[in-house]
Amino acid sequence: MIPEIETKSAVEIKTFQEAKLKIALKYLSENSPFYKRHFEKHQISVSKIQTLEDLTEIPVTTKDDIQQFNDDFICVSKSKIIDYVTTSGTLGDPVTFALTDADLERLAYNEAISFACAGVTSSDVLQLMTTIDRRFMAGLAYFLGVRKLGAGIIRVGAGIPELQWDSIIKFKPTYLIVVPSFLLKLIKYAEQHDIDLNTSGIKGAICIGESFRNDDFTLNTLGEKITEHWQIDLFSTYASTEMSTAFTECKAQQGGHLHPELIIAELLDDHDQPVKDGEIGELTITTLGIEAMPLLRFKTGDMMKAHNQPCSCGRTTLRLGPIAGRKKQMIKYKGTTLYPPAMQNILNNFNALECFVIEISHNTIGTDEILIRIASNSPSDELLNQIKDHFRAKLRVTPKIEWSDKEVIDALRFPKLSRKPILVIDKRK
């Protein structure tokens, strides 16, 4: 189930996207209160935007714009809105996104071709381990996509290893949709209750929310810890509410594939210009085919690399590598530039750690400070020194690390109304 456009030449894909872009620009200029003002303020004539390169003529849209003018992004009457979702608010206050019936159908199509990209077929059964309520787009998208693909789905929701294993044993799913670190809890539960992981029938996991790959697509510490116990395929999928689109790995597991009919992707530098091939840039997206809240040159805040070589799966589309980090969470620490995922990867090396949280703040002279709170059943100076040595070896710096009670850390990681664990708390203004 590979859409035909995803196997065309780079020139054909570009021509196809430029035709879609013209339709999107015309729609925005006629229906979006925000973009009508945007075009007028910056004296943009949308008819002159003919190529993907011309996009640089249009100033970018930011999360601040959506937070400040949320309702002005809606392009349809309230009577056409079928569903409301909110972002998770990882980098600020949550914003609301409205979806029409056509948008929900697009969401289903996106997830169906994304699951198919990872090798899921209509004969598979998937166990959903994320919430489908709390105005969460991802859980709804997964359900709609599995349904459109014709596969089966078991809606268990987040957490509770006992219930997850009860469903796995009872209903025999073949794939899990899961935050990868939760797989470690499933492994631990299985070991404690004499469940044979590798006869469970699980072929693979569609993983969200956390990176389990290094920059070269090899497994990082988290990925290695999962697969050394459970011989399943791990597929990374990257998406956001703002995009209503997913970049999912295929069987080659060399980055998440772009769907050219759904989204235009740019990687930009600090001056909002495209980065050179192979360089890390901020993913900036233009949505295609969205009715209620389409976005133009929206900066996601996520830093990553693009890969343009054709893939062994037959797709010729751009692929996105693992997220290096979020731009707003970039840390300048003792002359070194850091992103939280690099620190998380180091901490995941230590099985003795039960949990951790990373706090970023400014000190009295305005420079960045890092405090990592860690919890363990067996805290010791020796373990703490091993962790510090690992930081020095891998990142050349050692942040402040201190022991905390697990209950204290869990209270920080699971704030009220949060739909997913918070591993980074940024207190900088």
Side-chain angles (χ1 to χ4, degrees):
M1 187 181 172
I2 303 178
E4 189 179 351
I5 187 59
E6 298 191 19
T7 61
K8 297 291 187 182
S9 70
V11 172
E12 288 172 303
I13 290 173
K14 184 174 184 290
T15 302
F16 171 86
Q17 287 209 307
E18 286 170 348
K20 292 276 190 183
L21 175 62
K22 290 172 190 175
I23 295 168
L25 288 169
K26 184 173 185 293
Y27 182 81
L28 288 170
S29 67
E30 292 173 354
N31 297 286
S32 171
F34 175 84
Y35 285 110
K36 282 182 188 177
R37 288 200 310 270
H38 195 61
F39 297 148
E40 192 175 315
K41 177 183 176 182
H42 298 285
Q43 299 180 315
I44 304 292
S45 172
V46 295
S47 62
K48 292 182 179 178
I49 308 298
Q50 296 289 312
T51 68
L52 297 186
E53 290 80 6
D54 291 342
L55 277 170
T56 57
E57 301 295 318
I58 304 173
V60 296
T61 304
T62 66
K63 278 185 166 68
D64 289 341
D65 292 324
I66 304 180
Q67 283 168 345
Q68 193 174 349
F69 305 108
N70 202 163
D71 289 350
D72 288 349
F73 281 85
I74 299 177
C75 296
V76 297
S77 64
K78 193 168 184 179
S79 62
K80 287 198 73 173
I81 297 171
I82 300 295
D83 192 70
Y84 293 90
V85 300
T86 50
T87 60
S88 57
T90 306
L91 295 179
D93 294 332
V95 296
T96 299
F97 273 77
L99 294 93
T100 65
D101 198 50
D103 292 336
L104 290 174
E105 181 58 34
R106 179 189 176 283
L107 198 61
Y109 170 76
N110 159 73
E111 287 300 341
I113 60 175
S114 296
F115 284 133
C117 188
V120 182
T121 70
S122 59
S123 61
D124 284 304
V125 176
L126 295 90
Q127 185 153 315
L128 180 60
M129 298 185 177
T130 69
T131 184
I132 199 171
D133 56 2
R134 299 190 188 181
R135 306 194 302 265
F136 190 44
M137 178 181 276
L140 175 65
Y142 297 136
F143 176 77
L144 294 173
V146 171
R147 186 169 177 266
K148 188 166 187 68
L149 187 62
I153 190 162
I154 307 156
R155 294 177 293 107
V156 181
I160 320 174
E162 183 179 5
L163 180 59
Q164 303 291 355
W165 273 113
D166 178 70
S167 294
I168 292 169
I169 292 164
K170 191 176 292 182
F171 302 117
K172 304 289 190 293
T174 46
Y175 286 88
L176 309 176
I177 304 170
V178 63
V179 175
S181 59
F182 186 68
L183 291 171
L184 296 177
K185 294 186 177 180
L186 292 181
I187 291 168
K188 185 176 180 180
Y189 183 92
E191 290 173 343
Q192 291 171 342
H193 293 83
D194 296 322
I195 297 170
D196 188 342
L197 290 162
N198 294 304
T199 59
S200 62
I202 302 296
K203 296 188 290 187
I206 313 296
C207 295
I208 69 162
E210 294 171 343
S211 177
F212 55 84
R213 295 204 188 281
N214 296 309
D215 194 39
D216 62 357
F217 301 115
T218 57
L219 293 174
N220 65 15
T221 303
L222 175 59
E224 287 177 346
K225 285 172 80 169
I226 294 165
T227 55
E228 71 180 343
H229 296 284
W230 206 348
Q231 280 81 62
I232 56 175
D233 284 325
L234 302 178
F235 297 95
S236 177
T237 184
Y238 165 75
S240 71
T241 301
E242 294 92 345
M243 299 193 302
S244 284
T245 314
F247 292 77
T248 303
E249 287 184 334
C250 66
K251 286 287 187 181
Q253 298 171 333
Q254 295 289 299
H257 281 278
L258 170 88
H259 301 313
E261 65 272 51
L262 299 179
I263 200 164
I264 294 168
E266 305 172 79
L267 290 182
L268 303 183
D269 61 20
D270 288 340
H271 305 290
D272 297 336
Q273 295 299 308
V275 299
K276 295 176 183 175
D277 282 353
E279 289 185 354
I280 290 176
E282 181 175 2
L283 178 65
T284 301
I285 56 94
T286 297
T287 55
L288 301 172
I290 286 181
E291 196 171 42
M293 284 186 66
L295 295 176
L296 174 63
R297 301 202 82 210
F298 173 75
K299 298 181 80 172
T300 63
D302 292 324
M303 308 296 291
M304 58 186 73
K305 287 182 188 176
H307 302 267
N308 294 296
Q309 308 87 349
C311 183
S312 60
C313 72
R315 292 173 178 83
T316 53
T317 51
L318 170 149
R319 288 168 288 115
L320 293 180
I323 297 175
R326 293 187 183 273
K327 185 166 187 176
K328 282 191 176 180
Q329 290 179 344
M330 185 180 79
I331 307 159
K332 288 284 190 181
Y333 188 70
K334 297 181 180 178
T336 300
T337 298
L338 300 175
Y339 288 102
M343 292 186 278
Q344 292 166 24
N345 193 35
I346 288 172
L347 294 164
N348 283 331
N349 275 286
F350 294 91
N351 293 328
L353 291 185
E354 287 186 281
C355 58
F356 61 83
V357 68
I358 299 166
E359 295 183 1
I360 313 166
S361 61
H362 278 146
N363 58 27
T364 53
I365 58 171
T367 57
D368 291 345
E369 287 290 345
I370 305 167
L371 169 62
I372 302 177
R373 299 181 186 274
I374 57 175
S376 172
N377 276 327
S378 51
S380 67
D381 289 341
E382 183 183 1
L383 177 57
L384 189 60
N385 288 332
Q386 286 175 357
I387 295 169
K388 288 179 177 179
D389 287 345
H390 219 63
F391 268 94
R392 274 189 286 269
K394 296 289 186 180
L395 299 181
R396 301 189 301 279
V397 292
T398 307
K400 184 178 179 183
I401 306 171
E402 65 179 39
W403 296 111
S404 290
D405 290 337
K406 183 178 184 297
E407 292 74 20
V408 172
I409 294 177
D410 281 344
L412 294 169
R413 291 173 69 230
F414 298 98
K416 199 173 182 181
L417 300 181
S418 175
R419 298 182 300 217
K420 55 188 179 183
I422 306 296
L423 295 179
V424 182
I425 299 169
D426 195 341
K427 298 178 177 179
R428 295 173 298 182
K429 298 297 183 187

